Short mmCIF file of all heavy atoms in Angstrom, two decimals:
data_model
loop_
_atom_site.label_atom_id
_atom_site.label_comp_id
_atom_site.label_asym_id
_atom_site.label_seq_id
_atom_site.Cartn_x
_atom_site.Cartn_y
_atom_site.Cartn_z
N ALA A 237 130.90 -6.95 70.99
CA ALA A 237 131.90 -6.79 69.92
C ALA A 237 132.77 -5.58 70.24
O ALA A 237 132.61 -4.50 69.65
CB ALA A 237 131.22 -6.63 68.56
N PRO A 238 133.69 -5.72 71.18
CA PRO A 238 134.47 -4.56 71.64
C PRO A 238 135.42 -3.98 70.61
O PRO A 238 135.95 -2.87 70.81
CB PRO A 238 135.24 -5.11 72.85
CG PRO A 238 135.30 -6.57 72.62
CD PRO A 238 134.06 -6.94 71.90
N THR A 239 135.66 -4.68 69.52
CA THR A 239 136.54 -4.13 68.48
C THR A 239 135.76 -3.54 67.32
O THR A 239 136.39 -3.09 66.34
CB THR A 239 137.47 -5.24 67.96
OG1 THR A 239 136.67 -6.33 67.45
CG2 THR A 239 138.37 -5.76 69.07
N SER A 240 134.47 -3.51 67.40
CA SER A 240 133.66 -2.96 66.31
C SER A 240 133.79 -1.45 66.26
O SER A 240 134.03 -0.80 67.29
CB SER A 240 132.19 -3.35 66.49
OG SER A 240 131.67 -2.78 67.67
N PRO A 241 133.64 -0.85 65.07
CA PRO A 241 133.74 0.62 64.98
C PRO A 241 132.72 1.34 65.85
O PRO A 241 133.04 2.38 66.44
CB PRO A 241 133.51 0.88 63.49
CG PRO A 241 133.89 -0.38 62.80
CD PRO A 241 133.51 -1.48 63.75
N ALA A 242 131.50 0.82 65.94
CA ALA A 242 130.47 1.48 66.74
C ALA A 242 130.88 1.54 68.21
O ALA A 242 130.69 2.57 68.88
CB ALA A 242 129.13 0.76 66.58
N PHE A 243 131.44 0.44 68.71
CA PHE A 243 131.85 0.41 70.11
C PHE A 243 133.01 1.38 70.36
O PHE A 243 133.02 2.10 71.37
CB PHE A 243 132.24 -1.01 70.51
CG PHE A 243 132.60 -1.16 71.95
CD1 PHE A 243 131.61 -1.30 72.91
CD2 PHE A 243 133.92 -1.16 72.37
CE1 PHE A 243 131.93 -1.43 74.25
CE2 PHE A 243 134.26 -1.28 73.70
CZ PHE A 243 133.25 -1.43 74.64
N LEU A 244 133.97 1.42 69.46
CA LEU A 244 135.11 2.31 69.63
C LEU A 244 134.70 3.78 69.53
O LEU A 244 135.19 4.63 70.28
CB LEU A 244 136.17 1.99 68.57
CG LEU A 244 136.80 0.59 68.68
CD1 LEU A 244 137.77 0.36 67.54
CD2 LEU A 244 137.49 0.42 70.03
N ILE A 245 133.78 4.09 68.62
CA ILE A 245 133.28 5.47 68.52
C ILE A 245 132.53 5.86 69.79
O ILE A 245 132.65 7.00 70.28
CB ILE A 245 132.38 5.61 67.28
CG1 ILE A 245 133.22 5.48 66.00
CG2 ILE A 245 131.65 6.95 67.29
CD1 ILE A 245 132.40 5.43 64.73
N ALA A 246 131.77 4.92 70.33
CA ALA A 246 131.05 5.20 71.58
C ALA A 246 132.02 5.48 72.72
O ALA A 246 131.80 6.40 73.53
CB ALA A 246 130.14 4.02 71.93
N LEU A 247 133.10 4.71 72.80
CA LEU A 247 134.10 4.97 73.84
C LEU A 247 134.74 6.34 73.67
O LEU A 247 134.97 7.06 74.65
CB LEU A 247 135.17 3.88 73.81
CG LEU A 247 134.78 2.49 74.31
CD1 LEU A 247 135.99 1.56 74.28
CD2 LEU A 247 134.21 2.56 75.72
N ALA A 248 135.03 6.71 72.43
CA ALA A 248 135.60 8.04 72.19
C ALA A 248 134.61 9.14 72.57
O ALA A 248 135.00 10.18 73.13
CB ALA A 248 136.00 8.17 70.72
#
Side-chain angles (χ1 to χ4, degrees):
T239 58
S240 63
F243 184 82
L244 295 177
I245 291 173
L247 288 183

